[in-house]
Amino acid sequence: MRRKTTRFGRINLALASAAIAAATMVPQTGFAQKGQPVRDDIVVTPEMEERLTAWLTGFRRDAMAEGITPSTFTRAFQGITLDVKVLELNQKQPEFVRPIWAYLGSALSDKRKADGEAQLRANRTLFDRLEAQYGVEREVLAAIWGLETHYGTYMGSRNVIRSLTTLAFEGRRAGFGRTQLIAALRIIQSGDITPKAMNGSWAGAMGHTQFIPTTYLAHAVDFDGDGKRNIWESHADGLGSAANYLKASGWDTGDPAVREVKLPEGFDYALAGRSIKKSGEDWQALGLRTASGDVLPRRERGLQAYLIVPAGHRGPAFLAYPNFQTILRYNNATSYAMAVAYLAKYFADDAPIQGTWPTDERPLTLSEAKEMQRTLTAIGYDTGGVDGIIGPMSRKAIRGFQGSLGQPQDGFATEKLLQKIRAAAR
């Protein structure tokens, strides 16, 4: 049974493009990690074990200097070894990524929707309390819970101290691993959880709503009142912590997150992007209308928003408001934020996306994205480097090339566009 609410039913939450990485990159959440393949082609050698022993000796001194007691350190690191799977995952950079429409299809599965409705019914009193204290709508909290751990059914089974030790020991996330490892030790020292029970994802995200240790220290709450911030076993603590984090990050009760819009003929797609923010009134003056063709609601005309075209000019377009950016602070991948938004829309009995996705387009693989960056730079469109991530500089270069062809400058990187870039370089 879906609960209709006028205060939230009017909030048109919607989609956006990718955030840190490519527009189609799957965000690193419990939902994304589930089922991720791992090859056992890395082994822990005796030399690595010796280096780990030496590293732990030095890290122990650092931990003591930061207030970690000897007893806490000893309990946390008893029998600790490197995690081969974490070493493997830390070195991998996925070659193939799903297009946004495929990601949404998985994220917004019928089972996730049905299970979320059941949780909203079963926890009605809890959600009443959460809304009253933090002002974050229950639909949003349920959506985050559903996407992070499928309502607590998949919270990760790797020991967090072991995972973070492995990350901190060596590799591209050593700095992250060390910072989170110190924070994890502080959590253990506080008495909220034991080292053995502190489980999570391979990258250290924990509990019902997948907090990393530093976020836990800053925002976790004891919402069930038992004296511990136990986000692993208490869904009340997990949801309360997520609500506290969203509120601290700027969530405004009753404001929209995203609005699907129609663009006028001949619209300048160079205006799409996070860096270009205008009031809803200004966007409306440029010809934008709601998906149904109406003027923007009065409340939205005074909010600052940026325009998103996550699948280029052939796909749906959206205005992203400040609450959407707050979701991004929870996980800075816009594909994740839009999944949260649309799952929340479903729970609120709001309309789904009206536009259609260009499913005949194929987003680039990692190696193709690097080739596009190299080739664009070679023909005079500077992408700012070659890393396979289609960020602002790469999109600017793509738009420049599209403009030279007289095409809409939407900055959307596809295999068809790569073919044209290759032809121009010959």
Side-chain angles (χ1 to χ4, degrees):
M1 179 180 69
R2 283 190 274 176
R3 186 173 64 92
K4 294 176 184 274
T5 64
T6 55
R7 62 169 174 78
F8 194 79
R10 296 193 188 103
I11 298 177
N12 282 327
L13 303 161
L15 304 180
S17 58
I20 298 175
T24 54
M25 185 65 72
V26 175
Q28 295 301 304
T29 67
F31 162 66
Q33 292 163 4
K34 189 173 182 179
Q36 200 165 13
V38 180
R39 301 186 312 273
D40 290 317
D41 56 1
I42 292 180
V43 296
V44 177
T45 65
E47 182 270 336
M48 290 176 69
E49 292 175 344
E50 291 177 6
R51 286 197 294 114
L52 176 62
T53 299
W55 184 89
L56 285 171
T57 298
F59 181 73
R60 186 180 188 279
R61 288 194 300 267
D62 294 342
M64 300 301 107
E66 297 198 37
I68 303 302
T69 65
S71 62
T72 296
F73 193 93
T74 299
R75 285 192 301 124
F77 286 94
Q78 185 175 6
I80 205 74
T81 59
L82 294 176
D83 189 325
V84 172
K85 304 278 189 192
V86 173
L87 286 170
E88 174 64 37
L89 286 166
N90 192 39
Q91 290 186 14
K92 290 179 69 175
Q93 194 172 10
E95 172 66 17
F96 297 97
V97 293
R98 286 178 290 174
I100 198 167
W101 47 89
Y103 175 76
L104 282 177
S106 296
L108 307 181
S109 68
D110 289 342
K111 180 170 176 53
R112 203 180 310 274
K113 291 175 179 176
D115 289 351
E117 287 182 317
Q119 291 292 344
L120 283 164
R121 289 194 299 269
N123 295 281
R124 186 183 302 274
T125 300
L126 171 61
F127 282 113
D128 286 344
R129 291 179 54 222
L130 289 166
E131 286 185 333
Q133 181 158 338
Y134 297 107
V136 180
E137 288 82 358
R138 65 188 65 204
E139 294 87 349
V140 173
L141 293 174
I144 287 175
W145 190 19
L147 284 165
E148 291 292 350
T149 63
H150 200 101
Y151 314 103
T153 60
Y154 184 81
M155 294 188 285
S157 58
R158 311 198 92 82
N159 180 266
V160 168
I161 296 297
R162 188 184 184 204
S163 293
L164 293 175
T165 297
T166 304
L167 292 176
F169 175 62
E170 67 178 14
R172 62 191 179 95
R173 298 187 184 185
F176 168 86
R178 185 193 181 284
T179 299
Q180 298 306 318
L181 188 52
I182 290 289
L185 292 173
R186 293 189 191 281
I187 295 169
I188 292 169
Q189 190 160 288
S190 75
D192 283 341
I193 194 76
T194 66
K196 185 177 180 180
M198 183 184 269
N199 293 325
S201 75
W202 72 271
M206 311 176 298
H208 278 268
T209 48
Q210 294 290 279
F211 272 22
I212 59 174
T214 50
T215 303
Y216 176 101
L217 289 177
H219 300 288
V221 298
D222 171 24
F223 200 74
D224 63 11
D226 69 350
K228 293 184 178 181
R229 299 174 295 173
N230 191 344
I231 64 174
W232 298 266
E233 297 176 349
S234 169
H235 63 283
D237 285 1
L239 290 167
S241 299
N244 184 45
Y245 180 52
L246 288 172
K247 186 63 177 178
S249 298
W251 186 269
D252 286 321
T253 309
D255 275 355
V258 179
R259 161 75 65 179
E260 185 179 2
V261 293
K262 287 184 177 180
L263 306 179
E265 289 290 330
F267 182 78
D268 180 6
Y269 282 89
L271 294 175
R274 284 198 200 185
S275 62
I276 302 175
K277 295 180 181 179
K278 299 178 182 293
S279 69
E281 186 174 1
D282 288 340
W283 284 117
Q284 185 166 279
L286 288 170
L288 275 66
R289 296 294 183 266
T290 67
S292 59
D294 298 325
V295 297
L296 295 176
R298 182 177 299 277
R299 182 167 187 166
E300 297 176 28
R301 296 176 208 167
L303 296 176
Q304 291 291 304
Y306 61 89
L307 181 66
I308 305 168
V309 285
H313 70 282
R314 297 179 58 209
F318 307 88
L319 287 179
Y321 295 106
N323 273 351
F324 193 81
Q325 297 172 65
T326 299
I327 300 174
L328 288 176
R329 293 188 184 100
Y330 199 99
N331 183 315
N332 195 28
T334 339
S335 50
Y336 168 86
M338 77 181 166
V340 168
Y342 262 91
L343 189 54
K345 277 172 62 73
Y346 176 82
F347 295 147
D349 209 19
D350 203 354
I353 298 170
Q354 304 300 302
T356 57
W357 299 102
T359 56
D360 58 322
E361 295 279 13
R362 181 175 70 76
L364 302 180
T365 65
L366 176 65
S367 57
E368 287 174 334
K370 290 180 178 179
E371 179 190 355
M372 175 176 283
Q373 289 171 325
R374 282 193 300 269
T375 309
L376 279 172
T377 299
I379 62 177
Y381 300 95
D382 183 16
T383 61
V386 177
D387 57 6
I389 297 174
I390 305 300
M393 282 288 291
S394 292
R395 284 192 290 272
K396 181 179 179 181
I398 291 169
R399 285 178 172 133
F401 180 77
Q402 290 172 323
S404 72
L405 300 179
Q407 296 181 345
Q409 299 179 53
D410 56 21
F412 187 45
T414 66
E415 188 269 340
K416 292 178 183 176
L417 182 64
L418 178 58
Q419 291 180 6
K420 294 179 180 179
I421 292 171
R422 286 168 177 161
R426 294 193 189 109

